[in-house]
Amino acid sequence: MAAKEEAAPLAEAHQSLRQWRFLQKRSGEVSPQPVVFSAAQRRRWSRRALRRFLRPSERSKLFAARADEFFLHGNSTCEHRFFMTWISPLKSFGERELFVIESLFKFHPHACLLILSNTMDTPLGAALLAPFLVRGHPAALWLKRLLAGGVDPGEVPLGQNLSNLLRHAVLYKFGGVYLDADVIVLRSFSPLRNAIGAQAVDLATGNWSRLNNAVMAFDKGHPLLFKFIQEFSLTFDGNKWGHNGPYLVSRVAARVAGRPGFHFTVLPPAAFYPFDWSRIESLFRSPRSGEDRRRLSDKLRRLREASFALHLWNRHSKTMEVEEGSIVEQLMSDYCVFCNDSASSSSSSL
């Protein structure tokens, strides 16, 4: 578990802003208007953090060798390769994430999981994952320009945008399955090859209207992944949420669909995104009546029959409590072997 990954490359700029506002308040000179930073200022502030992010280190130099050893030599039982990225502090890796990993290994007991993170590759990270451990490119120019201050990092956290790039790059180099850390696995991914999931469809035509890159299964060196990386480099925009993620894979897939050599499958929303982010709260609520209980039971049955995974949309659901009898609580009772006992009780904050 190693990569040149930082949780917040613009943290210094944000800290400078907080200190500046604090001094303003103390002096009574609080500006009535919000402070707006220019692209040039954002580039200057982020440059030092980016140098730390991209500067080769002994750990980063060893990453490719470690990954090769992990997948190709040291683990002869790697029937499946899974990847995750973790761009947050280690303390944020909690019961929900452990639950996701447990669901992954429930259906892939001989899989290997590589978590790309700077904070996880520590003694504390190893201790956190101990129950699991005992089981056995075109963007180069963009990165160079970013380091030199020639790319505006924008308002969207840079770590999140780099996570979008990293997931495509690691799949292109090694092949396997990428999962976001808030995606519960519901069945084996063995049937999936060169597949990406639709998040939404056009009700009039039945064709997909948006893809998502929270779950992807691709062969090593697949040309679609190359196009994703190339598109990231050529069209990066740090000010538009999703521009370098779901919208990127959507516009590239639409552009290359049907071209020779670009064979891939787009799975329906039911495969990975059976519940849109706007309806995710219903999965955390307990049934309020007998009719509610029947509806939840039917939803759970359909999930298990039709879905490979369930995206919890952590950005929207991370503060929701898991109520007793809810769909998420029932899934936890099936999979969550290593979670704390409190995770399975009512009003858990998974």
Side-chain angles (χ1 to χ4, degrees):
M1 298 172 292
K4 295 177 290 183
E5 190 70 54
E6 288 191 5
L10 295 181
E12 290 184 358
H14 297 160
Q15 179 64 20
S16 298
L17 173 59
R18 288 193 293 270
Q19 291 173 347
W20 183 80
R21 285 176 173 165
F22 174 72
L23 291 173
Q24 272 196 320
K25 289 180 180 179
R26 290 194 63 179
S27 62
E29 299 176 358
V30 179
S31 171
Q33 299 295 328
V35 180
V36 178
F37 296 101
S38 68
Q41 285 174 312
R42 288 197 297 267
R43 284 195 292 268
R44 285 196 299 272
W45 271 326
S46 64
R47 196 171 303 168
R48 278 189 297 171
L50 288 169
R51 287 187 187 280
R52 288 199 302 274
F53 180 88
L54 298 170
R55 182 187 299 125
S57 65
E58 290 306 312
R59 290 171 67 196
S60 64
K61 290 176 182 178
L62 289 172
F63 172 70
R66 291 175 65 183
D68 282 336
E69 175 67 22
F70 182 63
F71 285 132
L72 304 178
H73 307 295
N75 286 272
S76 58
T77 59
C78 276
E79 293 182 3
H80 300 86
R81 298 180 183 182
F82 284 88
F83 302 90
M84 290 181 181
T85 60
W86 186 253
I87 62 174
S88 301
L90 178 60
K91 65 181 180 181
S92 300
F93 197 94
E95 293 170 348
R96 176 175 298 196
E97 290 72 32
L98 290 173
F99 172 29
V100 166
I101 293 177
E102 179 60 23
S103 72
L104 185 160
F105 284 117
K106 175 182 175 66
F107 293 102
H108 308 87
H110 300 295
C112 297
L113 170 64
L114 186 64
I115 302 177
L116 297 104
S117 169
N118 194 49
T119 59
M120 295 293 290
D121 194 14
T122 62
L124 284 176
L128 180 68
L129 297 178
F132 304 102
L133 296 175
V134 297
R135 308 179 192 181
H137 55 74
L141 179 59
W142 179 86
L143 289 170
K144 184 176 180 180
R145 288 173 51 227
L146 185 68
L147 181 60
V151 175
D152 178 9
E155 301 291 340
V156 178
L158 185 60
Q160 179 168 341
N161 279 323
L162 289 172
S163 174
N164 284 315
L165 174 61
L166 186 60
R167 67 189 65 182
H168 300 147
V170 76
L171 282 184
Y172 183 77
K173 181 173 178 61
F174 297 105
V177 177
Y178 171 82
L179 289 176
D180 270 358
D182 59 349
V183 174
I184 302 171
V185 177
L186 299 175
R187 65 164 73 179
S188 173
F189 279 36
S190 294
L192 303 182
R193 185 179 178 190
N194 300 324
I196 189 168
Q199 178 182 331
V201 296
D202 186 317
L203 295 180
T205 65
N207 298 325
W208 66 263
S209 57
R210 185 188 304 173
L211 306 182
N212 198 301
N213 62 348
V215 186
M216 298 181 290
F218 280 96
D219 293 341
K220 174 182 178 180
H222 195 281
L224 183 61
L225 297 170
F226 183 89
K227 286 295 184 183
F228 289 162
I229 299 169
Q230 187 178 56
E231 180 78 3
F232 186 100
S233 175
L234 295 175
T235 68
F236 177 83
D237 189 331
N239 292 305
K240 296 179 181 178
W241 188 272
H243 176 83
N244 312 299
Y247 293 112
L248 181 151
V249 296
S250 298
R251 61 180 180 267
V252 171
R255 198 157 60 225
V256 305
R259 289 189 192 177
F262 281 92
H263 176 71
F264 62 95
T265 301
V266 175
L267 298 175
F272 307 134
Y273 315 104
F275 288 83
D276 187 67
W277 63 266
S278 61
R279 298 189 298 125
I280 199 66
E281 185 178 0
S282 65
L283 302 187
F284 290 78
R285 288 201 306 260
S286 62
R288 302 311 198 241
S289 64
E291 181 60 29
D292 242 5
R293 196 169 288 105
R294 283 189 291 273
R295 280 198 295 266
L296 286 182
S297 177
D298 186 54
K299 285 180 181 179
L300 188 58
R301 178 185 56 78
R302 283 187 280 117
L303 273 175
R304 287 173 167 155
E305 289 177 353
S307 300
F308 285 94
L310 172 63
H311 195 322
L312 292 181
W313 305 103
N314 192 46
R315 186 182 172 208
H316 304 279
S317 69
K318 61 184 176 182
T319 60
M320 295 178 186
E321 294 185 342
V322 181
E323 298 180 359
E324 186 175 5
S326 66
I327 288 179
V328 173
E329 194 267 346
Q330 292 184 62
L331 290 174
M332 289 177 65
S333 67
D334 287 345
Y335 307 154
C336 205
V337 175
F338 295 122
C339 297
N340 295 336
D341 291 340
S342 59
S344 300
S345 62
S346 61
S347 300
S348 170
S349 57
L350 175 75

